[in-house]
Amino acid sequence: MKLFDFNKYFPDEKACRKAFKEMRDREGVVCQHCGSHDVVWLESKQQYQCKHCRHRTTLRSGTVMHGSKLPFMYWFIAMHLLTATKKSISAAELQRQLGHKRYQRLVTKQEHP
Ligand SMILES: [Zn+2]
């Protein structure tokens, strides 16, 4: 996908968030409390809720975005740059492309479980 198309498919944060949810739905969401796959999406809360124990899971929870405050769009652009470039892209280059000041904030490990 070219960057032009990328902008067409993911023009804003809302579109990115929606696409991310669709990805999670395809993979299947598992309740982190009881392990059930039986969850419903609460549109008003923007969270999944387990049908069994009613435990709620955020859209980011259990993903690379877990604990991140960065916008979804940021991650979509980062993922796009990582997959669209044939040659590997350095962290510094990614940082430059995203106009981000601090490389550390791109770290995807789960900092706040
Ligand atoms: Zn549950």
Side-chain angles (χ1 to χ4, degrees), residues 2 7 11 22 36 42 49 68 77 90 103 110:
K2 299 252 171 33
N7 282 326
E22 281 165 7
S36 169
L42 305 174
Q49 183 170 302
S68 171
I77 294 168
S90 72
Y103 164 59
Q110 300 195 356

Side-chain angles (χ1 to χ4, degrees), residues 31 33-36 50 52-55:
C31 172
H33 187 71
C34 73
S36 169
C50 177
H52 296 273
C53 70
R54 307 187 78 77
H55 177 80

Side-chain angles (χ1 to χ4, degrees), residues 1 3 6 10 16-17 19-21 23-24 27 60 63-65 70-87 89 94 97-98 106 108:
M1 194 175 8
L3 204 54
F6 178 82
F10 308 112
C16 290
R17 195 181 171 89
F20 187 75
K21 180 182 176 290
M23 268 159 49
R24 285 213 73 176
E27 283 181 18
R60 293 167 191 258
T63 73
V64 298
M65 285 187 248
L70 294 168
F72 281 92
M73 196 164 193
Y74 187 96
W75 288 98
F76 268 73
I77 294 168
M79 283 189 272
H80 175 72
L81 289 172
L82 288 169
T83 54
T85 46
K86 289 264 177 3
K87 54 186 167 62
I89 185 167
L94 189 63
Q97 294 254 15
L98 292 167
L106 257 181
T108 58

Side-chain angles (χ1 to χ4, degrees), residues 5 9 11-14 20 27 45 48 50 59-61 65 70 74 77-78 84-85 91 94 96 105-107 110-111:
D5 295 324
Y9 287 111
D12 53 28
E13 176 69 5
K14 202 178 157 209
F20 187 75
E27 283 181 18
K45 297 268 186 287
Y48 292 100
C50 177
L59 202 50
R60 293 167 191 258
S61 184
M65 285 187 248
L70 294 168
Y74 187 96
I77 294 168
T85 46
L94 189 63
R96 196 185 66 76
R105 295 187 65 182
L106 257 181
V107 171
Q110 300 195 356
E111 292 157 286

